Amino acid sequence: MKVTIYGSGYVGLVTGACLAEVGNHVLCVDIDPDKIERLKRGEIPIYEPGLDDLVAENAATGRLAFTLDPAEGVKHGLFQFIAVGTPPDEDGSADLSHVLAVARAIADNMSEYRIVVNKSTVPVGTADKVKATITDTLAQRGSQVDFDVVSNPEFLKEGAAIDDFMKPDRIIVGTDNPRTAELMRALYAPFNRNHDRVMAMDIRSAELTKYAANAMLATKISFMNELANLAEKLGADIEHVRQGIGSDPRIGYHFIYPGCGYGGSCFPKDVKALERTARQVGFKAQLLAAVEDVNERQKERLFDKIRTHFNGDLKGRTIALWGLSFKPNTDDMREASSRTLMEALWDAGVHVRAHDPVAMEECTRLYGERPDLTLYEDHEEALAGADALAIVTEWNVFRSPDFDLIRKQLKTPTIFDGRNLYEPRHLEDMGFAYYAIGRGRSIQA
């Protein structure tokens, strides 16, 4: 099949490469000339394990190509996937300007039937706006061309996106046309061989499903963070509590790890957007508002622990920081807890010595060269002369460190662990002051 994808960012590029991998001919359209030229040279603008090889292999076979020309894109594919960004507006609602701009571009160049697929995460009712935009643009052209609009939300985890696409848990297809549903089934047939994963439904339900999924996962995280903070007050260990409730199959172990807050491109934006959507229809979504409030407060927990440990005397100190990305296996720092921590430390006059396996270039792009930030290619080098170590991303390389080296390199053997990577009793026995999230009273060296 022939597929056109508008947007060559995280969702668009993964979708395009995976669809090409199973034999489709995919054309990716973007408005950024530099990005298109880089992609044509085989350079991937994002970090996602395995994506560079997948793009290179399918580009070499001719099944995956890139262009700046929307007219070429409209001519190419029966399926017109919209996979552009929907950043939050100032009020938290999703900005649909990029989505609707693509809809207009499709309508400007459309001469025969096309299936317009909303892959971007968009609020309920967006398909209606896309349909109206295309209809109005066609009318202005004096043209009558048949088309359908489909909601086909993505459920990709950064760091595991290729596997998620190739082996999906579910494929949500929202459409009001049974014929279009069958065409979407045919497109996704290679990913649907073991059992039927396609769930066809009305468009608005499909749009809400994406937001509902992310809001539910974010709720579980914020709930566990609330319990973790309570556990500290009660002298309980949240790790034991997590194991106790996770063993209940009605709850499960997924997304019940407490920490220093969630970030990334999805959860913060989508929870805010869904809460904003609720307000627009006169519904007060108290739980959604609380989920976001808890998360914002949780991002401040590590700084509060650092400030308390040093009795507020932070000016002129140095903190080693392990982890910059919002989660492992990505260079994404959008809404990352590391940013909240670093900015608070800088405001307090602290110098940060940081390391991340892949996100340091992104950190430099965000913050530039700063006298109070030094980035190190090796995580152990970041320790030298620091007053304490803070951990905000659970990269595997941080899970079993050389604690003797950490103790020797730091001025004082102090660790602030925002991801509960280590066993408190073990750290206590080695003479560390160890501060985790929800693991009872802080252990003093």
Side-chain angles (χ1 to χ4, degrees), residues 308-325:
T308 300
H309 174 81
F310 290 108
N311 297 314
D313 179 21
L314 292 178
K315 187 175 179 62
R317 293 190 182 275
T318 299
I319 297 294
L321 180 64
W322 283 0
L324 294 166
S325 58

Side-chain angles (χ1 to χ4, degrees), residues 17-54:
C18 290
L19 287 174
E21 176 69 8
V22 296
N24 298 296
H25 292 267
V26 180
L27 181 62
C28 293
V29 183
D30 205 283
I31 61 173
D32 186 341
D34 179 62
K35 181 184 290 186
I36 290 297
E37 286 304 313
R38 289 180 63 189
L39 287 167
K40 287 181 176 179
R41 294 195 302 266
E43 300 174 11
I44 307 301
I46 57 175
Y47 179 81
E48 177 64 32
L51 184 58
D52 51 353
D53 290 338
L54 201 63

